[in-house]
Amino acid sequence: MIEIKGLRKTYRSRGREVRAVDGVDLTVGEGDVYGVLGQSGAGKSTLLRCVNMLERPDAGTITVGGVDLTALNRKGLRLARHGIGMIHQHFALLSSRTVAGNIAFALEVTGVPRSARKERVAELIELVGLGGRADAYPAQLSGGQKQRVGIARALAARPQVLLSDEATSALDPETTDSILRLLQDLNQRLGLTILLITHEMDVVKKICHSAAVMRDGAFVESGPVAELLHRPGSTLARGLFPLSAPATLPGRTVVDVTVSGPDADTALTGLARNFDISLLEGSVETLAATRAGRWRIALPEDGTAAVEFLRARGAQVEAAA
Amino acid sequence: MTWSEVFDLLWVGLQETAWMVLVSTVLTAVGGLLLGVLLVLTAPGGLLSAPPLYSVLGLIVNITRSLPFIILLVAVIPFTRAVVGTTIGTDAAIVPLTIGAIPFFARIVEAALREVPNDVIAAATAMGASRGQIVGKVLLREARPGLAAGLTITVIALVGYSAMAGVVGGGGLGDLAIRYGYQRFETEVMVATVAALVVFVQLVQMAGDLLVRRLSHK
Ligand SMILES: Nc1ncnc2c1ncn2[C@@H]1O[C@H](COP(=O)(O)OP(=O)(O)OP(=O)(O)O)[C@@H](O)[C@H]1O
Ligand SMILES: [Mg+2]
């Protein structure tokens, strides 16, 4: 659905050059929820703003729904943008328009005739769970409600793709959850492809099928979440399941174990039945609809047999660090 | 002078002031909005980014704004004759008033439009809005409270400038205060005129505040 090749974007200001995006390749499949993680200044927003050409890249191609956006003229780009929704960290609503007015704005811009707007607006208000608030102004809404308006507005033109720039970063944890559930629901019900950027591991944990970690303008790892977890030394695995228990114990071998799939719930019990181990830290959670567990475990001094046992069950085992 | 004579003077002066201010406000609103929007659009990084044009417009605005109004009044006399056909009277005063106020209001418009957050403009662009839609439905619409407040300031400035319209025989309350109070020492007339001006300005400000409150949903 989204295909990015060799994307580069450099900002120049007063002789200083910042390579915000420095050679990114990215493919987001139809119906995928793809998360890009990274620290502040990594280039996440720049990457996302290139996807709908709010920033014009210096090099590379961006194909959305089969159309190469870098090759379009102004008019063509405007039309292509109707098929790409976007939501923003600070909501970016029109303060002078009501909830209904903000959603109607998206329809006006796409040229939906007045007669058809009212019904579609009502439909969208229901879709995002804002029934009864149609006539409220943004200033009268909570953050979570504002983001729901942002989502309704982004979906007004029935886009196939939704871009999200830190859509939950300004919200409290509970509201974040409700917005993430809404996005997940839209993904499942409408088959909406979502590319989101975030600095919160939790967002990836809750809704992403695939993810990438960005640093200094480039991806340092990327792929399906379940697969990334099993990659030795994965930053994402460490981020999703931070392990901080001691990495060495006298007379024991300490290892970090990652298991996903149905085995995640049984691997540990099996291990404990056969070996003298202690669980130092870790948990099993549901990630991208699959069960995944990651633990720091102290094995006997000679852990070879236990490691064999785990590997035979598809676990990835590495020395704790 | 009897109070009834004073009252007649005031009544005529008030009508002249109101007329001058009203017409020049309407013309200034249109001209200032156009110029202000043009400044925002042509500014570096704007929707129609054209830094040379922006610099030229900015220079013209600044020059006009630095001229003392009385000098502007005299300087535009040939232009006034070409437009209104005469160089004296209330209508003739409207020309310099408008020319003086347009750059003033244009800067206020520019500042008000810049208050519209960048991410709101980016959001509209991302939705596929055209530049015309962004100007009309986003910039001007979102800036309405600021524009209304700015127009109020402009109207009151015009009331002040119009006091000098007497130089070209424009009349009005300000002229009355200068002629009777300052030149003839008719203190009562001056005080009454100034009081009328204060009430006039006060009413304009109240109407402006009311409008701003109606437009603002912050
Ligand atoms: N318009 C701009 N002009 C100049 N430099 C910019 C501009 N936008 C971004 N940058 C620079 O590009 C780099 C990447 O910025 P970007 O906003 O993409 O980071 P980010 O990963 O989204 O960070 P955050 O998590 O803080 O939002 C930063 O060094 C930033 O200073
Ligand atoms: Mg950012």
Side-chain angles (χ1 to χ4, degrees):
Chain A
M1 197 75 224
I2 303 176
E3 186 138 1
I4 295 174
K5 287 216 178 77
L7 188 70
R8 277 172 214 286
K9 173 76 191 181
T10 304
Y11 290 112
R12 290 175 187 81
S13 51
R14 287 188 219 97
R16 233 168 51 86
E17 283 201 358
V18 181
R19 289 194 190 178
V21 177
D22 197 6
V24 165
D25 298 305
L26 165 67
T27 304
V28 184
E30 194 170 341
D32 224 359
V33 181
Y34 198 111
V36 178
L37 271 160
Q39 310 223 303
S40 188
K44 308 180 298 291
S45 294
T46 309
L47 169 66
L48 198 77
R49 290 166 61 87
C50 282
V51 179
N52 59 6
M53 302 285 280
L54 285 179
E55 299 289 351
R56 198 158 265 281
D58 299 328
T61 55
I62 297 156
T63 313
V64 178
V67 181
D68 179 4
L69 300 184
T70 52
L72 295 176
N73 62 12
R74 186 182 290 279
K75 177 99 189 297
L77 186 57
R78 281 216 294 123
L79 295 179
R81 279 172 176 156
H82 296 160
I84 309 173
M86 188 178 201
I87 53 178
H88 310 260
Q89 179 172 4
H90 300 292
F91 323 120
L93 301 178
L94 297 166
S95 65
S96 60
R97 288 191 180 217
T98 60
V99 167
N102 268 280
I103 301 171
F105 175 77
L107 297 170
E108 290 165 27
V109 159
T110 39
V112 174
R114 184 182 295 273
S115 53
R117 274 183 228 149
K118 215 175 153 190
E119 200 180 330
R120 179 78 181 131
V121 167
E123 199 178 297
L124 286 158
I125 287 178
E126 287 307 318
L127 180 70
V128 299
L130 278 177
R133 302 309 314 263
D135 296 325
Y137 283 91
Q140 301 163 328
L141 300 177
S142 70
Q145 290 172 324
K146 282 184 208 168
Q147 197 54 285
R148 282 169 192 270
V149 180
I151 293 171
R153 181 177 74 172
L155 297 178
R158 304 181 196 276
Q160 296 163 290
V161 172
L162 182 69
L163 307 176
S164 160
D165 189 345
E166 307 263 11
T168 58
S169 300
L171 305 175
D172 63 59
E174 260 169 61
T175 316
T176 294
D177 277 354
S178 76
I179 294 294
L180 292 179
R181 272 199 303 276
L182 174 61
L183 290 178
Q184 192 165 44
D185 185 49
L186 294 169
N187 165 254
Q188 286 162 359
R189 272 204 291 162
L190 311 176
L192 190 67
T193 304
I194 302 178
L195 173 59
L196 62 87
I197 65 171
T198 181
H199 57 253
E200 294 165 290
M201 282 289 169
D202 225 34
V203 172
V204 174
K205 201 181 256 185
K206 287 189 174 122
I207 66 167
C208 293
H209 308 146
S210 305
V213 178
M214 196 169 183
R215 190 182 302 144
D216 296 332
F219 282 1
V220 290
E221 59 190 77
S222 63
V225 173
E227 209 180 292
L228 285 180
L229 281 181
H230 287 267
R231 245 177 241 178
S234 162
T235 328
L236 191 78
R238 254 180 281 149
L240 289 174
F241 294 94
L243 299 173
S244 56
T248 52
L249 280 178
R252 310 291 296 265
T253 301
V254 182
V255 292
D256 289 344
V257 179
T258 312
V259 188
S260 54
D263 285 334
D265 290 303
T266 56
L268 214 54
T269 337
L271 185 70
R273 217 171 273 143
N274 293 288
F275 301 94
D276 170 29
I277 61 147
S278 23
L279 172 64
L280 303 178
E281 193 180 9
S283 61
V284 185
E285 295 187 44
T286 306
L287 286 186
T290 55
R291 298 289 284 166
R294 193 169 143 89
W295 311 278
R296 182 158 287 181
I297 299 172
L299 305 176
E301 176 124 54
D302 175 15
T304 329
V307 171
E308 289 297 317
F309 179 93
L310 283 165
R311 291 211 167 120
R313 278 154 190 78
Q316 192 236 308
V317 186
E318 54 185 327
Chain B
M1 219 181 325
T2 67
W3 277 111
S4 124
E5 281 170 329
V6 172
F7 185 81
D8 284 345
L9 277 176
L10 279 181
W11 180 236
V12 172
L14 184 66
Q15 280 176 312
E16 286 167 343
T17 295
W19 176 247
M20 282 189 288
V21 170
L22 181 74
V23 177
S24 50
T25 296
V26 170
L27 296 174
T28 299
V30 175
L33 272 178
L34 284 175
L35 185 54
V37 167
L38 205 56
L39 283 168
V40 171
L41 291 181
T42 59
L47 288 172
L48 293 171
S49 180
L53 180 57
Y54 178 75
S55 306
V56 171
L57 289 175
L59 188 67
I60 294 172
V61 164
N62 290 346
I63 290 174
T64 318
R65 290 196 56 201
S66 21
L67 288 183
F69 182 66
I70 201 95
I71 293 176
L72 183 78
L73 198 68
V74 177
V76 300
I77 281 178
F79 180 71
T80 306
R81 181 179 293 119
V83 177
V84 238
T86 169
T87 60
I88 53 161
T90 314
D91 288 350
I94 288 170
V95 175
L97 282 176
T98 305
I99 292 176
I102 283 178
F104 178 79
F105 185 52
R107 284 295 189 202
I108 294 178
V109 171
E110 188 189 9
L113 298 189
R114 279 197 205 295
E115 287 290 305
V116 179
N118 275 332
D119 67 342
V120 174
I121 300 167
T125 310
M127 279 183 251
S130 66
R131 287 178 292 199
Q133 286 170 325
I134 290 176
V135 171
K137 290 175 187 272
V138 180
L139 290 179
L140 290 175
R141 169 97 197 220
E142 284 291 289
R144 279 192 319 191
L147 294 174
L151 194 62
T152 309
I153 295 174
T154 306
V155 172
I156 291 171
L158 278 168
V159 175
Y161 287 156
S162 74
M164 280 172 263
V167 174
V168 291
L173 289 175
D175 182 42
L176 209 60
I178 293 171
R179 273 190 292 134
Y180 283 80
Y182 185 67
Q183 291 164 356
R184 293 195 211 162
F185 303 104
E186 301 248 15
T187 314
E188 294 86 355
V189 182
M190 188 184 73
V191 169
T193 318
V194 169
L197 275 171
V198 168
V199 171
F200 190 83
V201 167
Q202 194 67 29
L203 287 176
V204 170
Q205 186 65 51
M206 276 163 56
D209 288 346
L210 196 71
L211 185 62
V212 172
R213 225 172 308 129
R214 287 280 303 270
L215 292 174
S216 177
H217 296 286
K218 287 248 156 96

